[in-house]
Amino acid sequence: MTNLAHHINSSLSKELHAMIYLLGFFAQKKSFKVYAVGGFVRDLLLGKENRDLDLVVEGSAVDFAKYVAKNLPGQLQCFERFGTAKLSLSKGIVFDMVTARQEFYAGPGALPDVERSSLKNDLYRRDFTINTMACALNPENFGRLYDFFGGRKDLEKGIIRVLYKLSFVDDPLRIIRAIRFEQRFNFIIEEETLTMLRKAIGNRVLEKVSKERLYNEIRLIFTEPSPLKVLIRLNEMQLLKVIFPRLEFNERLKERLRRLEKGITELVESDPEGKWNYFILYLSALFYDLSEHDTAYLCHLMRLRRKERLRLFAVLKKTPKAIPELKKEFIRPARLYFLLNEIPLEGLLLMTVLEKNDPYLREHISYYRRELVHRRLLTNGDDLLEKGLTQGPVFNRVLKSLHEAVLNGKVSGKEEELEYLSYLIKKNNMYQETGEGEK
Ligand code: CTP
């Protein structure tokens, strides 16, 4: 009997470790039996931490979740009808709890451990053997590994294998998941599984899945260490054209994605706190050569949220226009600021990697991010009102001129700004008197 307590003690961070012990303690206290299952156990055996814990509860998952939530502050969502609950704690720790189903279709004689039939039944419905292992959390058998389907052996050999013939028909999204895991872990899809997978692709089972579900799965590709590897494999399987119709996966695009991936690695090293959105970043690179019409079509197909669509379009429209100017040796700081201020962060990163060899572009962008975004105007609208200006075009023009002066380093500090403001107002009044004011 294998026990994973040692893995739990050695591979997990202190906070997750503590949470897991507490879960077992709570389960025991309230007479539930709780198991961590799926990706968490797989990753534990690989020596990695997975903060997204799937838990199978014998008894009611909703009741257990409610009890846990009383003791651990977090956000609880219960889905009573499905007997599931989700508890999100701090530091990205999430518990997804499901109630173990009681029924089982094989005769009891077939069960090596009759007592755990509900657990086995739950695990049998899952995607691949490597995701079917369970680890007991109750203190009485804490860390005990349940491996009914040879998951550990497959994990050691690096094999992705489905549990039953119709797995890809039951859940076509598993086709994408198989490819994702294959590429993430550098595993091999087992021969029979691969045959079934190809057959399912041939039968176009993915077309039967709702667009919401399909593209939610597709999003996960862009959280992988190398989305490009997954995209290349999907293309080999003739799936990329199903997922992104109208997109030509040519050498030019692959080269752009290669550069992006390399650029991201460097960026993450230099700016680990960076708040860019990888999904938008990759979509920008993917759709860079597409017409506006085709991009809009794909955005609709993917059910992109409005905010995401706007961000993506801002990148795609504004970056090609900004690049020629950014390649010039000299740009006045204020011009640089107003040029880049309209482009989402993903656009700045994309330009940096696309024009990696340009001697000026990277420097301009980095100067903007390092310096200009911090050069804030200390004067505000109230100061202008106090000086007798009223809201309107003149007001905005004066404010912008003042901001430009600050960005260009012409004035600095509140006192100088106010002085310059008086000068601008005077100049503006002169224009108005001579009729050159508002054009
Ligand atoms: N699962 C499944 N079929 C799916 C999706 C999920 O059988 N289409 C099961 C698998 O057992 C999986 C578990 O549900 O391990 C949790 O799903 P998810 O969190 O998506 O997967 P992880 O295996 O944790 O993968 P990742 O490392 O990408 O988070």
Side-chain angles (χ1 to χ4, degrees):
M1 202 189 301
T2 309
N3 194 292
L4 301 181
H6 171 70
H7 288 75
I8 294 177
N9 293 338
S10 61
S11 307
L12 303 184
S13 60
K14 264 195 198 140
E15 58 255 22
L16 188 57
H17 185 239
M19 292 294 167
I20 284 171
Y21 270 97
L22 273 175
L23 277 179
F25 170 76
F26 293 145
Q28 197 75 2
K29 193 156 176 226
K30 291 284 162 187
S31 304
F32 293 100
K33 289 210 183 305
V34 175
Y35 306 87
V37 300
F40 171 80
V41 184
R42 177 199 69 216
D43 289 348
L44 191 63
L45 284 163
L46 292 171
K48 291 181 195 151
E49 174 166 300
N50 186 332
R51 293 190 161 214
D52 217 330
L53 245 91
D54 288 299
L55 302 165
V56 171
V57 181
E58 286 183 345
S60 157
V62 172
D63 290 348
F64 179 60
K66 284 182 181 165
Y67 180 72
V68 176
K70 265 194 209 153
N71 293 281
L72 295 176
Q75 224 190 337
L76 177 68
Q77 290 170 283
C78 293
F79 308 94
E80 311 260 355
R81 249 184 64 201
F82 302 104
T84 62
K86 182 178 185 141
L87 179 61
S88 308
L89 305 173
S90 60
K91 305 209 168 149
I93 298 176
V94 180
F95 297 144
D96 264 308
M97 313 189 200
V98 300
T99 306
R101 300 174 187 91
Q102 294 300 321
E103 82 276 20
F104 196 79
Y105 6 97
L111 300 174
D113 183 346
V114 179
E115 209 190 331
R116 297 283 79 86
S117 68
S118 54
L119 174 66
K120 182 175 177 183
N121 185 33
D122 189 284
L123 297 172
Y124 182 70
R125 292 157 194 266
R126 291 172 183 259
D127 52 3
F128 311 114
T129 56
I130 56 167
N131 289 337
T132 58
M133 290 174 279
C135 171
L137 298 186
N138 288 54
E140 57 187 12
N141 57 351
F142 184 83
R144 178 177 168 188
L145 175 72
Y146 289 87
D147 178 14
F148 301 109
F149 308 104
R152 189 164 191 188
K153 212 167 91 209
D154 282 346
L155 191 65
E156 279 164 5
K157 286 195 188 161
I159 286 176
I160 316 264
R161 186 199 308 269
V162 286
L163 282 102
Y164 57 95
K165 268 197 165 158
L166 291 178
S167 189
F168 292 120
V169 178
D170 277 359
D171 183 355
L173 294 180
R174 289 177 179 169
I175 297 173
I176 318 260
R177 288 175 67 84
I179 294 173
R180 211 153 52 75
F181 290 131
E182 176 200 46
Q183 296 306 314
R184 182 197 304 174
F185 298 123
N186 282 324
F187 280 10
I188 285 171
I189 302 177
E190 178 270 336
E191 213 180 300
E192 263 184 75
T193 301
L194 191 62
T195 308
M196 290 184 255
L197 182 143
R198 288 193 194 281
K199 196 168 163 203
I201 294 175
N203 289 335
R204 299 156 75 154
V205 291
L206 271 175
E207 288 170 29
K208 295 185 184 114
V209 180
S210 76
K211 295 283 175 281
E212 280 77 8
R213 286 193 66 225
L214 174 63
Y215 287 102
N216 274 338
E217 186 65 44
I218 298 304
R219 272 172 193 264
L220 298 177
I221 295 172
F222 301 104
T223 63
E224 291 294 327
S226 170
L228 176 58
K229 277 176 73 189
V230 181
L231 294 173
I232 289 175
R233 186 70 163 137
L234 286 170
N235 190 47
E236 278 168 18
M237 300 265 193
Q238 309 296 322
L239 280 177
L240 210 58
K241 57 181 189 221
V242 177
I243 298 165
F244 298 119
R246 304 187 186 182
L247 186 74
E248 205 189 318
F249 199 61
N250 53 24
E251 264 318 304
R252 191 178 143 85
L253 175 53
K254 273 188 244 173
E255 178 53 27
R256 186 180 307 131
L257 291 167
R258 246 176 248 129
R259 282 188 183 200
L260 179 63
E261 232 157 74
K262 199 159 165 261
I264 288 177
T265 317
E266 289 166 13
L267 282 164
V268 170
E269 275 167 20
S270 63
D271 184 5
E273 302 290 307
K275 295 255 184 301
W276 45 81
N277 176 327
Y278 287 104
F279 182 51
I280 297 295
L281 195 50
Y282 271 94
L283 286 191
S284 315
L286 275 169
F287 298 170
Y288 202 75
D289 287 334
L290 284 183
S291 68
E292 198 176 324
H293 183 260
D294 286 348
T295 306
Y297 168 73
L298 284 173
C299 288
H300 165 74
L301 195 67
M302 298 180 73
R303 308 294 190 263
L304 241 58
R305 298 187 257 280
R306 189 182 129 79
K307 242 178 149 176
E308 293 173 323
R309 214 177 51 230
L310 292 177
R311 206 169 170 91
L312 177 65
F313 267 95
V315 174
L316 291 174
K317 280 194 165 170
K318 290 176 181 155
T319 51
K321 283 190 194 142
I323 287 175
E325 203 166 339
L326 293 168
K327 285 178 156 183
K328 291 184 186 155
E329 187 173 1
F330 298 107
I331 314 180
R332 298 204 79 186
R335 171 70 195 142
L336 181 64
Y337 178 88
F338 291 115
L339 186 67
L340 297 185
N341 191 33
E342 296 206 321
I343 302 179
L345 183 58
E346 293 76 20
L348 304 187
L349 301 187
L350 190 65
M351 290 192 286
T352 313
V353 298
L354 292 185
E355 300 295 335
K356 196 173 177 294
N357 299 325
D358 186 87
Y360 308 119
L361 181 137
R362 182 180 271 261
E363 196 33 57
H364 289 319
I365 293 180
S366 115
Y367 176 64
Y368 164 79
R369 291 190 67 202
R370 204 177 56 232
E371 187 68 36
L372 291 184
V373 287
H374 305 295
R375 242 180 239 179
R376 297 232 166 80
L377 198 56
L378 301 173
T379 308
N380 56 30
D382 289 343
D383 295 306
L384 268 72
L385 293 174
E386 234 170 73
K387 295 252 179 200
L389 282 182
T390 46
Q391 297 277 4
V394 175
F395 186 98
N396 294 337
R397 202 170 55 220
V398 167
L399 203 58
K400 190 167 181 211
S401 301
L402 185 60
H403 194 185
E404 276 171 2
V406 170
L407 290 165
N408 286 333
K410 218 165 158 178
V411 290
S412 109
K414 180 95 181 202
E415 219 173 292
E416 278 186 37
E417 280 186 25
L418 288 176
E419 235 173 76
Y420 194 70
L421 180 60
S422 303
Y423 159 76
L424 284 172
I425 293 172
K426 217 191 252 168
K427 196 169 122 189
N428 194 70
N429 288 343
M430 264 162 53
Y431 278 146
Q432 277 185 337
E433 278 161 21
T434 54
E436 287 178 45
E438 295 178 32
K439 281 183 188 161

